[in-house]
């Protein structure tokens, strides 16, 4: 049982040198260290693109090939793209898995804690989809979003008609047919002539 627990905890191989990055909206705190505690360095950066590139250069100058950051919010995404472009392995971890014991927190302590976890292989990386998967995810999410928006607009349109006692839904099976939408467009323009409205009818309508 003890051996199984150890295997579950040591999820990543231990490293000789690593970096922890504490991400915020307008500030990023980085901490670099070797496993033996030597060559430690703190740096603070902004979050504009030029400053994110400074982080990349800083890591390359210090021969850092692995860094760890939390997957909180969306602040990590831009830096993740910049670092992975140059071959730096970025581990994005769920914040629930890397929380410290309750105590007074500071940005520097958080960055150092992240670096320590990475050096000793005590972190579980989050699943990171490749570029193709991310594009497909965006398409699927956009499709769901627009479908949801379309349903909201349809419900609102029906309420507007009913609140003005226009019983279109009582004589047409669905107000989302071509016939019904043409009639609604005429009504929206103030047209109430019965013949003009009937001319919009198609098929069984």
């Amino acid at each position: 049982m003890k051996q199984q627990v150890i295997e579950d905890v040591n999820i990543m191989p231990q490293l000789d040198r690593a970096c922890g990055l504490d991400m915020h909206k307008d500030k990023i705190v980085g901490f670099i260290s070797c496993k033996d505690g030597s060559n430690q360095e703190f740096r603070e950066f902004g979050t504009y693109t030029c400053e994110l590139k400074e982080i990349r250069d800083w890591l390359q100058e210090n021969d850092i090939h692995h860094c760890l950051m939390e997957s909180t919010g969306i602040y990590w995404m831009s830096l993740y793209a910049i670092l992975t472009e140059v071959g730096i392995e970025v581990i994005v971890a769920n914040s629930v898995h890397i929380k410290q014991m309750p105590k007074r927190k500071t940005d520097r302590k958080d960055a150092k804690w992240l670096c320590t976890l990475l050096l000793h292989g005590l972190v579980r990386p989050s699943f990171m989809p490749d570029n193709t998967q991310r594009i497909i995810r965006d398409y699927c999410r956009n499709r769901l979003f627009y479908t949801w928006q379309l349903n909201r607009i349809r419900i609102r349109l029906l309420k507007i008609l009913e609140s003005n006692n226009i019983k279109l839904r009582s004589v047409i099976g669905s107000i989302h047919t071509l016939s019904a939408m043409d009639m609604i467009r005429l009504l929206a323009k103030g047209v109430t002539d019965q013949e003009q409205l009937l001319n919009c009818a198609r098929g069984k309508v």
Side-chain angles (χ1 to χ4, degrees):
M1 181 67 180
K2 184 177 180 181
Q3 182 180 0
Q4 182 181 356
V5 171
I6 294 175
E7 290 176 353
D8 289 340
V9 173
N10 289 292
I11 301 163
M12 290 191 60
Q14 299 186 22
L15 304 172
D16 294 326
R17 191 165 176 76
C19 174
L21 296 168
D22 187 40
M23 310 291 295
H24 297 278
K25 178 183 177 183
D26 298 313
K27 181 177 69 172
I28 298 174
V29 178
F31 176 75
I32 288 175
S33 177
C34 293
K35 190 175 180 180
D36 59 5
S38 62
N39 299 322
Q40 296 184 352
E41 182 181 355
F42 279 105
R43 285 281 295 274
E44 290 189 9
F45 301 88
T47 54
Y48 290 106
T49 302
C50 59
E51 294 168 312
L52 297 183
K53 291 180 179 178
E54 290 178 7
I55 299 176
R56 176 198 62 193
D57 297 339
W58 178 57
L59 295 178
Q60 289 182 317
E61 290 169 4
N62 287 275
D63 196 30
I64 298 296
H65 303 288
H66 297 80
C67 64
L68 172 64
M69 61 178 72
E70 292 185 47
S71 60
T72 51
I74 60 174
Y75 306 131
W76 59 271
M77 293 182 177
S78 298
L79 181 58
Y80 178 88
I82 290 174
L83 296 182
T84 52
E85 279 181 357
V86 296
I88 297 176
E89 184 175 346
V90 182
I91 294 89
V92 181
N94 191 315
S95 58
V96 175
H97 299 155
I98 56 179
K99 288 293 184 186
Q100 300 188 60
M101 294 297 291
K103 60 181 179 180
R104 186 174 181 180
K105 287 165 56 68
T106 66
D107 298 336
R108 290 197 163 206
K109 286 182 179 179
D110 285 344
K112 187 174 181 179
W113 174 248
L114 293 173
C115 183
T116 302
L117 290 176
L118 184 56
L119 284 170
H120 293 86
L122 300 175
V123 62
R124 178 183 291 109
S126 298
F127 169 71
M128 299 302 297
D130 59 29
N131 189 52
T132 301
Q133 290 175 314
R134 286 197 292 270
I135 292 173
I136 293 174
R137 278 185 172 187
D138 286 339
Y139 281 138
C140 292
R141 287 168 179 168
N142 285 336
R143 184 178 184 277
L144 289 174
F145 172 76
Y146 288 124
T147 301
W148 177 71
Q149 287 286 84
L150 181 60
N151 290 333
R152 284 191 61 191
I153 292 171
R154 287 173 173 173
I155 293 171
R156 179 171 172 76
L157 181 57
L158 182 60
K159 287 182 178 180
I160 291 173
L161 293 172
E162 290 293 338
S163 64
N164 288 278
N165 204 36
I166 300 174
K167 298 295 184 178
L168 190 59
R169 181 66 177 79
S170 299
V171 294
I172 297 180
S174 172
I175 65 170
H176 312 307
T177 61
L178 290 174
S179 299
M181 291 307 300
D182 286 345
M183 292 179 186
I184 290 171
R185 291 187 184 98
L186 288 177
L187 290 170
K189 294 177 181 179
V191 177
T192 57
D193 181 70
Q194 182 177 351
E195 291 299 324
Q196 292 189 53
L197 295 171
L198 287 174
N199 288 335
C200 297
R202 297 177 176 84
K204 294 181 180 180
V205 177

